[in-house]
């Protein structure tokens, strides 16, 4: 029989969004509510730990920065697809959160005068990325995890893999999960939930993401009838090293690094005369691919075409003080010491602007369920995210959703019967144990995963065409229909083979949504750049894409309006 656990608020995911939400819920609900945080990895293995360059916030209004400018930079960066009330909420809320983290012990890098330091980042009108050397994610995660320890009502469930959402009368009721250490299938009951399962960038092979960054959380919501929004917008960061794809932070250019071609030219001057290397990522990545296509790239020994990032003029001291993490990455994974020589880099899958459709407060279409962080699409980033705005988003919406979920749980206390019909649990058990664990087939699921991610690299990269996208979609559907759904390892304890196959299942559905959204959007906006439709088309496409699950048939696509407040779309120039 299925075991069961109950909490007042459950949080799926223990990255920056999940931890911030847990603290907010615990502080808000005091000891009247209990909180469960479920994570398929150990807390400190969440991808947030890898964040490098900074967290955007306006801190120096006395030196000329202002929140209006943060709002506008975010909206312009988004190519006018962001919901403008959401950008406003971020800019107004994050400064307080930076100081809150400081008070909790975050070791922010500081200026000579003792104030918190900020560095330049792409697409901003002011140095606005608050940083902690080049390991902002690691330090922020540690600070939040430490802070969680102060609350007795936060319970961590590490290495639990959530598989589906339970609901009744359009209200959230909990989730099902596998406790990985013993393989038990468990029903987790809760009136309120927050999905904080992060980004899905492992649907690409060349990717900066941790291997755990697969779309199972987003897919769980999708299968429960909630929309995935704007999934065609995938960010390619200009500087992934070869061949691994590990990130060199934009902070390297923020500190003064140059991008150079094989003529030793700082080519970005041609494409973004004002911002040069610090134009937004979509602009820089496109410029890099153009340089390569026109024969001014380098050939890496792996066979990849690439360009170089030159930091040698920054000097030994600055690099060791402010960019120590990426120096280590260069040494260990490229065999290059960035103090002495330029490093080979190439645009790499780095961020999903899309995710679970939510409103400005992170509320989903299902009563009692919120989503925050990279798994959510509250439409902050629109068609292109500015660097450093994501950790900010996680912290701001972690807090908002944590408090709202706690309030919801308090309101429900004593009134709701938490009964859930067992049918949903049984049908999920059948889906994953009969359909996957005891499945049969000839095709190796890891080969399917590799073909899937290679297809995304080839067919839905920086520049896209109808033909490529359609052939990519055809390939994904072919893969979906092969007999790959089976698990060789039949053990119960720590069966990572089983978990991986469930991840692949979610990856196939999500890749299909990305490709269909990209085919459907016949324009170029932000990170979605169509060679066959090179212009932004506000008359027809100034709107969000929604995709709804339609059993195993193709997803149902529809459009959703953007919220405008004060800023009319104009041409983006940098
Ligand atoms: C290399 C790198 C560097 C970056 N640098 C920066 C930066 O400097 N500044 C910036 O603003 N942004 C940066 N970003 C982006 C930013 O770090 C992420 O968007 C953000 O940290 C995501 O946090 P999250 O809380 O949404 O999820 P994550 O930190 O990705 O955590 C996801 C959580 O969900 C859990 N989970 C997932 N699926 C399941 C499941 N099925 N069951 C149970 N648990 C599940 C995981 O275990 C994990 O705990 C960077 C990203 C990368 C990849």
């Amino acid at each position: 029989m299925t075991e069961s656990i109950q909490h007042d608020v459950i949080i799926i995911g223990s990255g920056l969004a999940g931890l911030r939400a847990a603290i907010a819920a615990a502080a808000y609900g005091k000891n009247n509510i209990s909180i469960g945080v479920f994570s398929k990895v150990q807390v400190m293995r969440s991808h947030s730990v890898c964040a490098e360059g900074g967290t955007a916030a306006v801190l120096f209004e006395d030196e000329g920065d202002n929140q209006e400018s943060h709002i506008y930079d975010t909206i312009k960066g988004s190519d006018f697809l962001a919901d403008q009330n959401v950008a406003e909420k971020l800019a107004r809320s994050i400064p307080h959160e930076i100081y809150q983290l400081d008070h909790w012990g975050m070791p922010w890098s500081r200026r000579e005068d003792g104030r918190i330091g900020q560095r330049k980042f792409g697409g901003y009108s002011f140095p606005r990325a608050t940083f902690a050397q080049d390991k902002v994610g690691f330090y922020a995660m540690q600070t939040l995890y430490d802070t969680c320890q102060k609350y007795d009502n936060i319970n961590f469930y590490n290495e639990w893999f959530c598989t589906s959402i339970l609901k009744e009368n359009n209200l959230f009721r909990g989730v099902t999960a596998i406790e990985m250490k013993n393989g038990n299938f468990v029903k987790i009951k809760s009136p309120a939930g927050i999905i904080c399962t992060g980004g899905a960038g492992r649907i690409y092979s060349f990717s900066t993401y941790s291997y755990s960054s697969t779309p199972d959380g987003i897919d769980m919501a999708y299968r429960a009838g909630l929309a995935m929004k704007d999934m065609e917008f995938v960010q390619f960061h200009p500087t992934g090293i070869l061949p691994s794809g590990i990130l060199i932070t934009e902070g390297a250019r923020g500190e003064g690094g140059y991008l150079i071609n094989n003529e030793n030219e700082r080519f970005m001057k041609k494409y973004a005369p004002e911002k040069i290397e610090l134009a937004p990522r979509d602009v820089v990545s496109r410029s890099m691919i153009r340089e390569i296509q026109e024969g001014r790239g380098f050939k890496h020994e792996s066979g990849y075409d690439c360009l170089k990032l030159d930091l040698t003029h920054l000097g030994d001291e600055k690099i060791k003080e402010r960019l120590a993490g990426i120096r280590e990455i260069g040494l260990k994974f490229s065999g290059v010491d960035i103090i002495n020589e330029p490093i080979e880099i190439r645009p790499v899958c780095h961020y999903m602007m899309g995710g679970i459709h939510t409103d400005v407060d992170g509320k989903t279409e299902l009563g009692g369920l919120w989503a925050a962080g990279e798994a959510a699409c509250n439409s902050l980033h629109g068609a292109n995210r500015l660097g450093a705005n994501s950790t900010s988003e996680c912290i701001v919406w972690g807090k908002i959703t944590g408090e709202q979920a706690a309030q919801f749980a308090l309101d429900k206390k004593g009134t709701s019967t938490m009964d859930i019909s067992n049918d949903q649990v049984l049908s999920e058990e059948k889906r994953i144990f009969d359909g996957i664990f005891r499945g049969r087939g000839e095709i190796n699921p890891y080969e399917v995963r590799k073909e899937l991610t290679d297809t995304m690299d080839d067919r839905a990269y920086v520049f896209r065409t109808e033909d490529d996208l359609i052939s990519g979609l055809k390939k994904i559907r072919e893969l979906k229909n092969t007999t790959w759904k089976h698990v060789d390892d039949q053990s119960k304890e720590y069966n990572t083979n089983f978990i991986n196959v469930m991840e692949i299942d979610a990856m196939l559905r999500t890749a299909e949504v990305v490709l269909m959204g990209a085919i459907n959007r016949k324009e170029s906006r932000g990170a979605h750049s169509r060679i066959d439709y090179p212009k932004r088309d506000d008359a027809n496409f100034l709107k969000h894409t929604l995709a709804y699950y339609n059993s195993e048939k193709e997803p149902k696509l529809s459009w959703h309006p953007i919220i405008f407040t004060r800023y009319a779309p104009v041409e983006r120039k940098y």
Side-chain angles (χ1 to χ4, degrees):
M1 209 185 98
T2 317
E3 288 178 57
S4 129
I5 292 178
Q6 184 158 350
H7 288 290
D8 298 304
V9 174
I10 57 171
I11 297 167
I12 327 294
S14 65
L16 284 172
L19 295 185
R20 187 65 190 87
I23 296 166
Y28 189 92
K30 307 250 163 23
N31 277 327
N32 300 317
I33 59 170
S34 76
I35 296 139
V37 181
F38 293 82
S39 174
K40 68 177 175 179
V41 297
Q42 295 286 337
V43 173
M44 286 297 285
R45 288 195 163 262
S46 302
H47 184 62
S48 289
V49 167
C50 303
E52 295 177 1
T55 300
V58 170
L59 298 185
F60 296 119
E61 290 191 270
D62 56 332
E63 293 178 8
D65 199 4
N66 65 82
Q67 292 178 2
E68 206 58 43
S69 160
H70 191 183
I71 298 167
Y72 188 68
D73 288 346
T74 301
I75 292 168
K76 184 177 167 192
S78 84
D79 220 347
F80 295 89
L81 192 76
D83 282 0
Q84 301 189 353
N85 57 336
V86 177
E88 174 149 359
K89 191 157 229 167
L90 177 88
R92 304 248 184 262
S93 313
I94 187 65
H96 169 80
E97 288 296 311
I98 298 288
Y99 294 117
Q100 175 65 79
L101 279 169
D102 195 45
H103 295 173
W104 282 335
M106 173 85 186
W108 294 119
S109 293
R110 296 201 175 254
R111 318 194 308 189
E112 296 272 297
D113 64 3
R115 295 174 79 181
I116 293 172
Q118 296 203 299
R119 61 163 52 118
K120 289 185 187 162
F121 243 67
Y124 293 106
S125 315
F126 207 85
R128 201 174 279 148
T130 314
F131 61 104
Q133 205 184 45
D134 57 356
K135 297 176 187 149
V136 75
F138 171 78
Y139 290 119
M141 282 289 288
Q142 187 127 28
T143 304
L144 292 178
Y145 192 30
D146 277 359
T147 305
C148 284
Q149 309 308 316
K150 292 187 200 158
Y151 295 94
D152 291 337
N153 52 344
I154 301 179
N155 305 276
F156 282 100
Y157 296 83
N158 288 333
E159 301 181 324
W160 284 58
F161 185 87
C162 298
T163 73
S164 77
I165 287 175
L166 302 170
K167 58 179 188 171
E168 201 114 304
N169 304 326
N170 207 32
L171 280 177
F172 178 77
R173 285 283 191 249
V175 296
T176 53
I178 291 174
E179 182 178 5
M180 287 160 65
K181 81 170 179 232
N182 53 27
N184 289 348
F185 185 61
V186 184
K187 172 162 84 178
I188 299 151
K189 298 200 279 186
S190 183
I194 312 173
I195 300 188
C196 303
T197 48
R202 272 289 153 194
I203 61 172
Y204 285 77
S205 290
F206 192 56
S207 169
T208 63
Y209 284 84
S210 308
Y211 280 95
S212 58
S213 294
T214 50
D216 8 294
I218 299 173
D219 177 68
M220 213 160 72
Y222 178 61
R223 275 185 285 111
L226 311 187
M228 290 198 208
K229 183 164 67 188
D230 291 341
M231 292 298 287
E232 64 272 29
F233 296 103
V234 179
Q235 176 161 84
F236 298 92
H237 192 295
T239 58
I241 60 168
L242 296 156
S244 63
I246 297 174
L247 180 74
I248 297 288
T249 173
E250 190 167 290
R253 283 170 285 137
E255 296 291 350
Y258 303 150
L259 290 171
I260 51 170
N261 62 20
N262 65 14
E263 293 167 2
N264 209 26
E265 178 198 15
R266 274 180 78 187
F267 58 88
M268 278 311 299
K269 286 185 181 167
K270 293 182 291 198
Y271 301 96
E274 239 175 76
K275 293 265 180 221
I276 319 180
E277 283 89 358
L278 289 175
R281 292 171 179 172
D282 60 331
V283 176
V284 180
S285 289
R286 276 195 293 277
S287 309
M288 291 171 69
I289 300 295
R290 290 219 168 91
E291 287 294 300
I292 290 172
Q293 284 169 346
E294 290 169 15
R296 289 186 294 278
F298 300 90
K299 204 41 127 193
H300 184 262
E301 62 188 28
S302 61
Y304 271 120
D305 293 311
C306 62
L307 290 148
K308 288 188 184 176
L309 173 67
D310 189 353
L311 302 167
T312 53
H313 55 287
L314 299 186
D316 179 285
E317 199 182 325
K318 189 169 189 180
I319 289 177
K320 285 185 181 156
E321 186 200 322
R322 293 184 165 221
L323 299 168
I326 59 159
R327 178 171 178 238
E328 192 182 339
I329 288 171
L331 281 167
K332 288 193 175 149
F333 297 98
S334 278
V336 169
D337 187 345
I338 56 172
I339 292 178
N340 302 322
E341 55 176 317
I343 188 163
E344 291 164 307
I345 40 80
R346 171 186 171 85
V348 57
C349 173
H350 180 64
Y351 188 83
M352 311 289 290
M353 271 68 76
I356 302 165
H357 171 40
T358 77
D359 73 2
V360 59
D361 290 324
K363 217 164 159 308
T364 71
E365 298 164 279
L366 181 65
L369 183 67
W370 286 257
E374 197 174 333
C377 180
N378 59 18
S379 304
L380 170 66
H381 310 297
N384 174 63
R385 165 177 82 94
L386 293 188
N389 254 352
S390 171
T391 47
S392 301
E393 176 195 5
C394 289
I395 291 164
V396 168
W397 274 274
K399 180 175 183 207
I400 295 172
T401 56
E403 289 180 350
Q404 293 203 357
Q407 180 62 55
F408 187 89
L410 287 167
D411 291 346
K412 292 274 166 207
K413 254 198 147 29
T415 59
S416 72
T417 63
M418 277 300 296
D419 289 340
I420 325 168
S421 79
N422 230 15
D423 296 356
Q424 288 173 64
V425 181
L426 291 175
S427 91
E428 178 63 1
E429 203 168 3
K430 196 162 148 34
R431 184 184 80 90
I432 62 177
F433 287 99
D434 293 349
I436 297 176
F437 188 65
R438 286 184 284 271
R440 293 252 178 279
E442 300 305 314
I443 308 292
N444 180 343
Y446 292 94
E447 278 167 20
V448 167
R449 182 178 184 144
K450 178 83 176 78
E451 283 194 55
L452 179 163
T453 58
D454 285 352
T455 302
M456 295 305 283
D457 278 6
D458 286 347
R459 305 290 157 190
Y461 189 47
V462 174
F463 287 110
R464 301 162 171 194
T465 65
E466 185 108 353
D467 288 351
D468 277 355
L469 293 166
I470 287 176
S471 77
L473 183 62
K474 193 165 157 251
K475 179 75 197 174
I476 298 296
R477 289 192 173 144
E478 272 167 28
L479 291 171
K480 232 173 148 183
N481 291 330
T482 60
T483 54
W484 64 276
K485 259 193 215 178
H486 55 94
V487 179
D488 288 347
D489 180 354
Q490 290 289 305
S491 54
K492 288 200 77 185
E493 297 80 14
Y494 281 113
N495 190 336
T496 49
N497 185 196
F498 185 21
I499 299 297
N500 290 160
V501 178
M502 281 192 281
E503 288 171 344
I504 297 166
D505 187 41
M507 289 165 80
L508 282 163
R509 268 188 297 275
T510 310
E512 187 179 12
V513 173
V514 172
L515 290 166
M516 281 192 62
I519 292 167
N520 211 32
R521 188 173 283 278
K522 300 188 192 317
E523 66 157 351
S524 291
R525 181 184 299 275
H528 172 65
S529 199
R530 292 273 306 248
I531 292 174
D532 41 0
Y533 298 95
K535 291 229 155 42
R536 193 174 85 193
D537 178 357
D538 288 344
N540 294 305
F541 294 103
L542 193 55
K543 49 196 178 184
H544 301 294
T545 304
L546 296 183
Y548 286 95
Y549 181 59
N550 184 21
S551 66
E552 286 298 310
K553 293 187 223 109
E554 64 175 49
K556 279 198 219 145
L557 298 188
S558 59
W559 301 105
H560 188 74
I562 299 169
I563 297 173
F564 288 93
T565 55
R566 295 195 293 284
Y567 304 101
V570 292
E571 195 193 339
R572 259 169 103 221
K573 287 197 187 124
Y574 288 96

